[in-house]
Amino acid sequence: MTNEQPSRARSPFSAIRAIDYTVIFVRDMDAMRRFYEDVLALSLLRELSPNWIEYGIGSNTLALARPSRTAADVPTPVGSASLQLAFKVSPAEVDACAEELVRQGVTLLSPPTNQPFGHRTLFFRDPDGNLLEIFAEI
């Protein structure tokens, strides 16, 4: 008997190099669209339909979609975040973002805070309750 492990074939998934786009399945498209366009001031890339809207963030795309667009999943229950997104900025911009969020009437879950792991963070929620973070490396 030998202790050798069978050789594993190289997975085709090892070709993945980046996350190209992220989809947020929304409960309230109008509120989410206003938030991402007016509060976060994201650049609209394209609107494929009233059920699918895309924003450009650097080399990535953030899409808002109604679940029926790609799957028949029921929306996440109210009061439950379905995801957390972290948006990277410079250290000074963390505080500027916090001021703008407060000016826009967004409740901060955590004000700008220097974390022991080397990030300055700010946490808040979008209209559907998803957890959003603005952070900078410090």
Side-chain angles (χ1 to χ4, degrees), residues 25-38:
F25 291 124
V26 303
R27 287 188 291 269
D28 184 338
M29 182 63 87
D30 292 335
M32 291 287 279
R33 184 169 187 172
R34 280 192 306 275
F35 182 82
Y36 283 90
E37 289 180 22
D38 299 342

Side-chain angles (χ1 to χ4, degrees), residues 7-134:
S7 65
R8 295 179 72 174
R10 183 171 182 260
S11 169
F13 295 109
S14 63
I16 295 172
R17 297 290 176 255
I19 295 176
D20 186 66
Y21 65 94
T22 300
V23 179
I24 300 174
F25 291 124
V26 303
R27 287 188 291 269
D28 184 338
M29 182 63 87
D30 292 335
M32 291 287 279
R33 184 169 187 172
R34 280 192 306 275
F35 182 82
Y36 283 90
E37 289 180 22
D38 299 342
V39 176
L40 297 188
L42 298 186
S43 299
L44 182 66
L45 278 181
R46 60 186 177 162
E47 182 175 347
L48 298 180
S49 77
N51 296 322
W52 186 280
I53 299 167
E54 297 179 354
Y55 302 96
I57 303 175
S59 63
N60 296 302
T61 299
L62 178 65
L64 301 180
R66 295 190 197 279
S68 62
R69 171 77 176 115
T70 56
D73 296 13
V74 296
T76 304
V78 174
S80 300
S82 59
L83 60 86
Q84 176 178 335
L85 296 175
F87 300 102
K88 188 176 182 181
V89 299
S90 72
E93 290 166 325
V94 173
D95 293 89
C97 288
E99 291 170 11
E100 179 62 12
L101 288 167
V102 169
R103 190 184 75 72
Q104 295 267 2
V106 176
T107 300
L108 303 183
L109 297 177
S110 171
T113 304
N114 289 340
Q115 303 293 345
F117 47 84
H119 285 181
R120 183 160 180 78
T121 62
L122 158 67
F123 290 93
F124 56 103
R125 293 190 185 276
D126 71 14
D128 269 3
N130 296 305
L131 186 60
L132 304 181
E133 174 185 1
I134 302 292

